[in-house]
């Protein structure tokens, strides 16, 4: 039982390049999330997927797109990377459904992205 | 909107010292409150949570009580160990599952 896995762990891009961050969970969770972590700012929600087939914007969606490929997988795409997107990216999942506000999120190990 | 304010760090303590990290919140509705911990080089993991007023969450010697009257959820541990060195995040969630995080508090425990 691997929990939440993310690939790659590290990535360096040049401005304007594109890339996709992959995330998968094996807990049969309904909901999945992408966050970015920047020093002194905690984690900020980029996009989330409450259930398979749905995606919604979070707090900081500009410059990103997402795909909920199936119940297990949720990818984050940077179409044209900018230095402001240098950050650590975390994927998370939760049961969702009727758990409501008590829902616990489970996090992957993160991807450290640098955009030059 | 929903927001969390937590004590700024970094906090440096000696082993066996008492740790308190303050957390206050603003929320519409009735939030659940969480403390997540991030060990060096790892993702976040749930430390404890409380889902209604006066609930106490506890785990690994850490405790926090949901205080609705003061809109607070302070984290405490009576005797810290070097292995408790980490970044601690206070967070809240309302009906829509999304978490709102505080900025995080870095705690370093020296032997």
């Amino acid at each position: 039982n691997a929990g939440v896995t993310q690939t790659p762990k590290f990535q360096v891009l040049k401005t304007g390049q594109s890339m996709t961050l992959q995330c998968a969970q094996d807990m049969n969770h309904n909901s999945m999330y992408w966050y970015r972590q920047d020093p002194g700012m905690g984690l900020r929600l980029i996009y989330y997927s409450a259930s398979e087939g749905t995606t919604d914007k979070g707090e900081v969606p500009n410059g990103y797109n997402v795909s909920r490929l199936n119940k297990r997988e949720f990818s984050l795409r940077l179409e044209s990377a900018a230095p402001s997107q240098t950050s650590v990216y975390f994927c998370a999942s939760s049961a969702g459904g009727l758990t409501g506000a008590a829902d616990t999120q489970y996090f992957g190990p993160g991807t450290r992205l640098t955009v030059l | 909107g929903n927001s969390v304010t937590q004590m700024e760090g970094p906090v440096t303590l000696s082993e066996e010292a008492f740790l308190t990290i303050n957390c206050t919140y603003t929320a519409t509705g009735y939030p659940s409150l969480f403390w997540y911990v991030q060990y060096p080089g790892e993702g976040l993991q749930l430390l404890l949570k409380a889902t209604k007023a006066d609930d106490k969450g506890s785990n690994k010697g850490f405790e926090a009580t949901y205080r609705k009257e003061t809109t607070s959820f302070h984290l405490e541990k009576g005797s810290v160990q070097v292995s408790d060195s980490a970044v601690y995040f206070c967070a809240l969630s309302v009906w829509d599952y999304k978490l709102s995080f505080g900025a995080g508090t870095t705690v370093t425990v020296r032997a």
Side-chain angles (χ1 to χ4, degrees), chain B residues 6-106:
Chain B
Q6 66 180 99
M7 186 173 101
E8 291 191 18
V11 175
T12 303
L13 302 165
S14 297
E15 235 178 354
E16 299 184 5
F18 185 86
L19 170 67
T20 299
I21 304 175
N22 290 338
C23 172
T24 57
Y25 67 89
T26 302
T28 54
Y30 302 96
S32 290
L33 301 173
F34 304 80
W35 278 100
Y36 279 84
V37 59
Q38 184 180 31
Y39 298 106
E42 298 183 10
L44 281 71
Q45 55 185 272
L46 179 68
L47 181 59
L48 52 84
K49 71 179 182 183
T51 59
K52 60 182 187 296
D54 300 324
D55 268 2
K56 177 185 284 187
S58 62
N59 186 26
K60 299 183 181 180
F62 289 89
E63 293 183 339
T65 301
Y66 188 141
R67 302 285 188 200
K68 186 179 178 183
E69 63 275 13
T70 54
T71 61
S72 65
F73 193 55
H74 305 322
L75 182 68
E76 297 182 337
K77 185 173 186 181
S79 177
V80 294
Q81 305 301 312
V82 172
S83 57
D84 294 323
S85 297
V87 183
Y88 293 83
F89 293 92
C90 186
L92 69 82
S93 176
V94 292
W95 61 271
D96 61 356
Y97 317 116
K98 292 183 285 186
L99 283 170
S100 296
F101 285 90
T105 302
T106 300

Side-chain angles (χ1 to χ4, degrees), chain A residues 90-113:
Chain A
F90 289 100
C91 178
S93 71
S94 68
L98 298 177
T99 53
D103 207 24
T104 297
Q105 293 187 19
Y106 297 83
F107 286 78
T111 295
R112 186 173 295 274
L113 175 67

